[in-house]
Amino acid sequence: MPDIDFVITWVDGNDPNWRAEKQRFQLTQDSDDRDIRYRDWNTLRYWFRAVENYAPWVNRVHFVTWGHIPAWLNVNNPKLHIVRHSDYIPSEYLPTFNSHPIELNLHRIPGLTEQFVYFNDDTFLNAPVKPTDFFRNGIPVDQLIFDVGYPSDNQISEITYNNYRLISKYVDKRKMLCRDARKIFYPLYGLPGLKNLFVLPFPYFTGFYNHHLPISFTKTAFEQMWAQEYSAFDETCRHRFRTSSDISPWVIRYWNLAQGNVIPCSYRHGKIFEISSHNKKMYHALLHSRYKMICCNDGASDFDFDEVRSQLITVFETKLPKKSSFEI
């Protein structure tokens, strides 16, 4: 089986040099520059421990950063590739403080394998995984589940809707039903899979289900979408800060789904948890490895951040107590 790389993007929102550079640029009214987007949960070392414990077969880890590197990171680990934005993002898009240009150009990372898995820094391996949990015969493992998206005042919803509008021209639901019925009605999707029963009868495209978990990508898919939709990609990459008119890398995932280029997987593949003041289910899922992958999503502000961060670190330290070779 071909080599598979992992890619993770990370920002240190406390880096004074990064903050100083960010402040040099004028925000637009629509820019999303909330501090909550940059706060650090200090869980990155556990991401690396999980990779070493659960995916020792990974070819290489590309650690994408503005330039800051955690003091504890072993930069001499032969499997680690430190990638600065200037190493792969075209100069006309730099500097950027928008995650979308950082993600939409991942295929340009020097030495990246054709097949790779992209992780946000809030998504973790949670149990042993195999290469076939991500790709089979070069095809990404994912869930072909429809959903309903619509524009709203929520910026994430707006961006998702932009993705849907862009990809809609490539979706033929009738053709998909004939070609991909087994992938659409895969019995192990769990409750989210029931959406296909309700949404599929609509003759027009309404959207795809977003699981917010690590995504299996190919460089070829990125290249094809850049070639097909250069203007949309270029426009987003010129936004230094996230705006409601952006598209996101999910659009490349949708491109794969629209072509039926997917191997279906069980709901046990992964689960997203929203961090709040009550996280017992998330902690239980972590400690008992209930899912192969897990997302600990930070989107709320109505809790004691320091207290919850301390709890989460304690859970990770209990689950993964030994240093990895990625640590000094």
Side-chain angles (χ1 to χ4, degrees), residues 143 145 186-195 265-268:
Q143 297 174 333
I145 301 175
Y186 186 65
L188 298 183
Y189 282 153
L191 289 177
L194 295 178
K195 293 182 179 182
C265 60
S266 163
Y267 74 97
R268 289 285 189 189

Side-chain angles (χ1 to χ4, degrees), residues 27 30-34 37-38 97 155-156 241-243:
L27 294 172
D30 187 40
S31 298
D32 183 359
D33 191 43
R34 297 167 297 155
R37 292 191 54 237
Y38 304 111
F97 309 95
Q155 190 183 69
I156 297 298
F241 298 91
R242 182 184 292 182
T243 73

Side-chain angles (χ1 to χ4, degrees), residues 297-308:
N297 189 54
D298 179 12
S301 57
D302 56 344
F303 58 83
D304 186 322
F305 173 71
D306 291 330
E307 179 183 352
V308 174

Side-chain angles (χ1 to χ4, degrees), residues 10-21:
W10 181 74
V11 61
D12 180 1
N14 296 317
D15 184 335
N17 295 323
W18 176 82
R19 295 177 73 91
E21 181 170 4

Side-chain angles (χ1 to χ4, degrees), residues 171-322:
V171 179
D172 185 332
K173 292 179 72 174
R174 291 184 179 179
K175 182 177 179 180
M176 289 181 69
L177 182 58
C178 295
R179 182 191 62 204
D180 305 314
R182 291 184 179 180
K183 299 175 182 180
I184 293 172
F185 297 110
Y186 186 65
L188 298 183
Y189 282 153
L191 289 177
L194 295 178
K195 293 182 179 182
N196 284 342
L197 296 175
F198 299 102
V199 176
L200 198 60
F202 286 89
Y204 48 86
F205 174 61
T206 55
F208 287 118
Y209 171 65
N210 295 306
H211 49 50
H212 196 47
L213 293 169
I215 303 177
S216 300
F217 281 127
T218 63
K219 290 199 297 186
T220 297
F222 273 73
E223 292 162 356
Q224 289 173 338
M225 282 302 296
W226 266 93
Q228 292 283 118
E229 298 291 345
Y230 177 83
S231 295
F233 278 59
D234 177 68
E235 180 183 348
T236 289
C237 288
R238 292 182 185 278
H239 298 161
R240 296 197 190 279
F241 298 91
R242 182 184 292 182
T243 73
S244 295
S245 62
D246 281 5
I247 57 172
S248 80
W250 283 351
V251 76
I252 300 168
R253 173 176 173 259
Y254 301 159
W255 165 262
N256 273 326
L257 297 178
Q259 299 178 90
N261 190 34
V262 56
I263 301 294
C265 60
S266 163
Y267 74 97
R268 289 285 189 189
H269 193 68
K271 185 173 177 64
I272 179 174
F273 289 92
E274 298 287 344
I275 299 176
S276 68
S277 55
H278 303 286
N279 299 299
K280 287 185 178 180
K281 290 184 178 180
M282 181 176 70
Y283 298 155
H284 185 270
L286 278 166
L287 291 172
H288 296 276
S289 302
R290 287 180 56 82
Y291 305 93
K292 291 183 179 181
M293 287 169 276
I294 195 168
C295 175
C296 305
N297 189 54
D298 179 12
S301 57
D302 56 344
F303 58 83
D304 186 322
F305 173 71
D306 291 330
E307 179 183 352
V308 174
R309 176 171 61 180
S310 178
Q311 293 172 358
L312 184 57
I313 289 174
T314 297
V315 171
F316 271 116
E317 188 65 29
T318 301
K319 181 181 178 70
L320 299 162
K322 294 183 180 180

